Amino acid sequence: QPEIMTPSATWRCALLPPSQAPCPRARAPTRAHARGESASEGLFGAREMGRRCLATSLFVLAALLAHAGPVRASDTLDLMGTGATAIPAIGPGFVYAYLQGNQISILQASTFAQATSLTFMNLGNNLISTFPDNVFGSLSNLGYLYMDSNYLTTIRPGMFLGLSMLTNLHLQRNTITLILPGAFLPLTNLRYLYLFVNQLAQIPPDMLAANRLLTNFDMNFNPISSNAVPGTLFVGLTAIREISVYGCPAFIVCVPDIFLTGVPTTAKILYGDSCCTYTLLADVILCSTVTTTSTTTTTTTRTTTTSTTTTTTKTTTSTTSTRTSTTTTSTTSTTTST
């Protein structure tokens, strides 16, 4: 079988025709001619090696596609589901770090001090309840950070210092009850923020003030009541295109008007008691509209009741007049007889 020296050579071998694939022993015709073999024998050997190279490459390709995420290579630290309780120091050559599904509970700045090339890190499904400020300070190139399905309770200013290139932050399925003002201030390139299935009862009005490039905001299934809805959350966020708040008590029937302050008209809102159809901003049912309709219906009902009472009174008067006429007629008959 042909040797596969590097992942990059494997991919080139899979994508090029066998005669051009830069696999080991792929230049058999040249060596064959040097040994004095016939052209047909050399060609046959080249084709055979090409077929083997292609078959091996396709096998490797299938294995890579079956394993979710980017290509596993020398630039990848893969400890997914190994039961690890600590993270080894990540060197400068790593680009991807798969650390999810373990027993990790402590994060240290020294672990990431040399990981300046890291662009993707998954710390989901661990035992992390908190971590020191500036622990990610060296990860200036990190674009994706998954910290879902942990035990985080409070998001403080300083926790995400240094992550100026972060575009995707996953904090869903924690037990977050409090986000302090300025917590997301360093994330000036943030595009996607996921906070669904937490315990947030309120949100700081200026929580997203620094996230001007945010396009997707997801906070489904948090116990936010109507009197805790912020009014300036999206002011200045002209790039926002999808807001998902379904399953929150304040957004089951309608959307509080104040919540949509500053939201672009092109944005889509997902609310109600379940997903999954987004509503254009122009078609959102506002809570002020629902309240006005309810008051009008009540007034109409009261008016109808008053009209019915008046009709009944008139009917009673008419009946009394009839009875009086009958009595008069009877008296007249008696007089004539006499």
Side-chain angles (χ1 to χ4, degrees):
Q1 295 294 323
E3 299 178 6
I4 301 177
M5 304 301 293
T6 63
S8 59
T10 301
W11 283 99
R12 289 198 302 273
C13 182
L15 297 175
L16 293 174
S19 60
Q20 301 178 26
C23 298
R25 299 167 62 187
R27 299 185 180 183
T30 302
R31 293 197 295 270
H33 284 296
R35 293 193 302 267
E37 297 177 0
S38 66
S40 60
E41 291 175 344
L43 183 60
F44 176 79
R47 288 178 176 174
E48 181 63 23
M49 289 302 101
R51 280 194 292 269
R52 289 185 179 183
C53 178
L54 182 59
T56 304
S57 300
L58 292 177
F59 174 78
V60 174
L61 176 62
L64 290 173
L65 293 178
H67 205 299
V71 177
R72 299 298 195 271
S74 58
D75 60 358
T76 300
L77 174 63
D78 190 354
L79 297 177
M80 180 175 60
T82 59
T85 58
I87 308 172
I90 302 176
F94 288 106
V95 178
Y96 310 102
Y98 295 85
L99 307 167
Q100 68 269 34
N102 287 299
Q103 305 295 312
I104 299 168
S105 60
I106 298 176
L107 300 180
Q108 298 178 338
S110 58
T111 301
F112 310 105
Q114 301 298 318
T116 54
S117 299
L118 208 62
T119 63
F120 179 100
M121 182 163 64
N122 193 334
L123 286 164
N125 197 19
N126 275 288
L127 304 176
I128 303 169
S129 59
T130 187
F131 51 90
D133 292 350
N134 204 32
V135 73
F136 302 127
S138 300
L139 306 181
S140 57
N141 289 306
L142 192 69
Y144 297 80
L145 178 58
Y146 288 76
M147 298 198 73
D148 55 290
S149 303
N150 276 282
Y151 295 90
L152 297 172
T153 58
T154 302
I155 305 300
R156 308 181 312 274
M159 295 179 81
F160 300 113
L161 284 174
L163 300 180
S164 59
M165 296 303 293
L166 195 73
T167 60
N168 289 249
L169 179 58
H170 293 255
L171 297 174
Q172 68 269 23
R173 295 192 178 92
N174 277 273
T175 55
I176 300 172
T177 58
L178 181 62
I179 298 178
L180 296 175
F184 301 130
L185 196 60
L187 309 180
T188 54
N189 276 294
L190 192 65
R191 264 78 165 178
Y192 298 84
L193 177 59
Y194 299 94
L195 294 166
F196 59 88
V197 191
N198 275 290
Q199 299 298 318
L200 288 168
Q202 58 183 2
I203 299 176
D206 59 346
M207 183 181 74
L208 305 176
N211 313 124
R212 300 294 182 175
L213 301 179
L214 193 71
T215 62
N216 291 63
F217 179 72
D218 191 332
M219 51 174 282
N220 304 321
F221 294 110
N222 277 278
I224 298 175
S225 58
S226 56
N227 58 357
V229 174
T232 58
L233 188 63
F234 301 109
V235 172
L237 303 187
T238 56
I240 196 76
R241 65 188 185 192
E242 289 185 5
I243 301 171
S244 188
V245 289
Y246 69 86
C248 302
F251 303 96
I252 297 296
V253 176
C254 54
V255 177
D257 303 42
I258 193 173
F259 182 72
L260 299 178
T261 303
V263 176
T265 56
T266 54
K268 297 178 181 179
I269 317 295
L270 179 56
Y271 66 101
D273 57 357
S274 61
C275 69
C276 291
T277 303
Y278 281 94
T279 303
L280 293 175
L281 184 63
D283 299 324
V284 170
I285 299 176
L286 300 176
C287 290
S288 61
T289 305
V290 172
T291 303
T292 302
T293 303
S294 178
T295 303
T296 303
T297 303
T298 302
T299 303
T300 304
T301 303
R302 288 178 179 174
T303 303
T304 303
T305 303
T306 303
S307 299
T308 303
T309 303
T310 303
T311 303
T312 304
T313 302
K314 289 181 179 180
T315 303
T316 303
T317 303
S318 177
T319 304
T320 303
S321 299
T322 304
R323 287 178 179 175
T324 302
S325 298
T326 303
T327 303
T328 303
T329 303
S330 178
T331 302
T332 303
S333 299
T334 303
T335 303
T336 303
S337 178
T338 301

